[in-house]
Amino acid sequence: MKVFLSRDLGIDLGTANTLVHMKGKGIVICEPSVVAIRSDNNEPLAVGDRAKEMIGRTPGNIMAVRPLKDGVISDFNVTFKMLKYFITQALGSPFVFARPRVVICVPSGVTAVEERAVKEAAVAAGAKEPIILEEPMAAAIGADMPVSDPTGNMIVDIGGGTTEVAVISMGGIVTAGSIRVAGDEMDDAIIAYIKRHYNLSVGYQSAEEIKKKIGFAYKPEKGLVYSIKGRDLMTGLPKTIEIKSEEITLALSEPVASIIDAVKICLERTPPELSGDIMDRGIIMAGGGSLLRNLDTLLADETGIPVHLAEDPLVCVAMGTGRVLENEGILKKIASMQKS
C-alpha cells in the first residue's frame, strides 16, 4: 500500500536563483535559475548549479538558458521543466508524496497574464492550488518585520531581475513600486563599461564576480584592483587587464541611481503618518543586490532615513513563503483574496 504525505512548499522563483522552502524543514534548495537544454530533443541536460557552470561553455547542440527575465517567465516550457525538477528534488519520489500546496512569489508589478503563466507553470510542474504572494510582502515577513501592526514598514528587495519597494501596514501593501533594474542590470553595466573603456568582452559570470569582489555603490575602497580575463575585441585574442574599484563604482552609477529614485518615489507616495513610522523604524533592505557594498549607506544619505540590512538578505523571500505556509490564517486569507 502506497503512503501519500503532504509536503507544502514555498518557492522564491527568482531571475537569478530559485529557493525552495519546505514546511517544517526550512530552505531545502538554493540553486541558480538556469537550465541546460539539448537542442535536438529540447530536453533538460542539467538544472541549477550544474547548468550555470555551462553558461558560455557549451557546444552548439546544448544551450544554457535562464528562463526568467526581469522576474517573470520568458520561456514557459523551460520554466515548467525547471520547476518540476526543483519540486521533485525537494519532495523526493513522486510515488510517496501527494501534490504539494505551493506558495510562489512574483514581483509586485507583474501583469495578470504574467501571474497566470507562473500559476500554470507551477501546476504543470506538480503543484496543487498554487498561491501567489507578492515578493515585497514575502521579503518583509521573512525579515521579521511587524507587517500586521498598524505602523509603516518599508522594504527594499533587490533581486536579480527586479527591485521591489513597498510600504506595508496592517498586513497589506499601502504603496509599492517595482522596477526592472537590479543585479542583472548591474552586471550589464559592468560588461558595457569594460567593453567601452578597454575593448574587452567579458561574460556575465565574470561581471558578477567583479561586482562581488570590488563592487561599491558609494565611496569605493581606494587601491582595490581585480584581474579580469576576456577576449580583446580588436585582435580577437585572450587578454587580461586590471580594473579598479573606483571604475566599477562609476560603471554601477546608473542602475544604482535608478534604485535610489524608486525608493524616493515610493516615499513620496506614502501617507504622512506612515512616513513618520518609517523615519523611526528605518528602511530594511533584502535580496542579493542589497549586498552591494555601501548601497545601504548611500540610500541612507540620499533619503535621510536609517537603513538596515536584513539578517540574511538572500533568503528573506523564501523564509517569508515558509512563514506564510506555517500560518493557516494568513494562507487562507491570501487564497480567498485570489479566488474572489
Side-chain angles (χ1 to χ4, degrees):
M1 181 179 176
K2 294 172 185 174
V3 178
F4 290 89
L5 304 173
S6 176
R7 288 286 179 86
D8 296 338
L9 301 175
I11 300 177
D12 172 14
L13 187 63
T15 305
N17 297 289
T18 294
L19 288 82
V20 180
H21 184 288
M22 182 181 286
K23 186 177 179 180
K25 282 194 171 184
I27 293 171
V28 292
I29 289 173
C30 177
E31 294 197 37
S33 302
V34 182
V35 184
I37 298 285
R38 293 181 64 95
S39 56
D40 52 354
N41 58 12
N42 209 31
E43 287 300 313
L45 183 66
V47 179
D49 289 320
R50 284 185 57 225
K52 186 176 181 180
E53 293 171 0
M54 299 180 185
I55 294 178
R57 295 185 170 97
T58 58
N61 65 327
I62 298 172
M63 298 179 296
V65 298
R66 295 172 66 179
L68 291 109
K69 183 173 175 56
D70 299 332
V72 296
I73 293 173
S74 60
D75 190 318
F76 180 87
N77 290 327
V78 177
T79 302
F80 144 64
K81 289 170 182 175
M82 182 179 75
L83 266 176
K84 186 175 182 180
Y85 172 84
F86 286 137
I87 289 173
T88 303
Q89 286 290 104
L91 296 180
S93 171
F95 295 101
V96 178
F97 296 100
R99 289 166 71 90
R101 279 190 309 178
V102 170
V103 173
I104 190 163
C105 289
V106 297
S108 58
V110 299
T111 64
V113 173
E114 290 166 342
E115 185 176 310
R116 189 164 62 247
V118 172
K119 279 188 174 182
E120 289 173 357
V123 170
K128 179 182 73 173
E129 300 173 0
I131 297 167
I132 300 297
L133 181 64
E134 290 181 314
E135 279 180 18
M137 179 62 80
I141 294 169
D144 287 324
M145 297 175 75
V147 295
S148 298
D149 294 353
T151 53
N153 301 275
M154 189 170 205
I155 185 82
V156 179
D157 177 28
I158 307 170
T162 61
T163 293
E164 307 288 319
V165 186
V167 174
I168 299 167
S169 179
M170 297 184 68
I173 294 176
V174 179
T175 181
S178 178
I179 60 168
R180 298 188 176 185
V181 177
D184 287 352
E185 287 288 328
M186 294 180 190
D187 294 342
D188 286 337
I190 291 171
I191 290 169
Y193 180 91
I194 294 170
K195 183 178 180 180
R196 186 167 61 250
H197 290 271
Y198 291 96
N199 283 322
L200 190 75
S201 176
V202 297
Y204 281 98
Q205 293 197 59
S206 296
E208 187 178 7
E209 193 66 18
I210 293 164
K211 181 177 66 181
K212 288 179 179 177
K213 295 290 185 183
I214 62 167
F216 286 80
Y218 185 51
K219 294 181 178 177
E221 186 179 322
K222 292 181 180 178
L224 194 62
V225 297
Y226 188 75
S227 182
I228 311 166
K229 296 175 182 176
R231 178 170 54 85
D232 190 312
L233 293 171
M234 299 294 289
T235 66
L237 299 174
K239 183 180 176 181
T240 302
I241 64 163
E242 285 193 341
I243 195 163
K244 297 176 182 178
S245 61
E246 293 96 329
E247 294 178 273
I248 300 305
T249 302
L250 182 61
L252 294 172
S253 59
E254 191 172 326
V256 166
S258 297
I259 292 169
I260 300 294
D261 287 344
V263 176
K264 288 180 177 178
I265 290 168
C266 192
L267 284 168
E268 288 168 7
R269 295 174 179 167
T270 302
E273 293 82 359
L274 298 183
S275 295
D277 295 334
I278 295 166
M279 282 295 298
D280 294 336
R281 293 171 176 271
I283 298 169
I284 301 296
M285 292 181 68
S290 67
L291 295 172
L292 180 66
R293 294 174 187 85
N294 292 347
L295 182 55
D296 53 346
T297 307
L298 176 61
L299 184 57
D301 287 354
E302 289 285 331
T303 60
I305 299 171
V307 177
H308 312 287
L309 204 59
E311 188 175 337
D312 200 343
L314 286 167
V315 302
C316 277
V317 173
M319 290 299 295
T321 63
R323 286 172 185 165
V324 168
L325 280 169
E326 288 162 6
N327 190 318
E328 284 292 329
I330 296 176
L331 196 59
K332 286 177 181 176
K333 182 182 176 182
I334 296 170
S336 63
M337 285 173 63
Q338 291 180 13
K339 287 178 181 176
S340 60

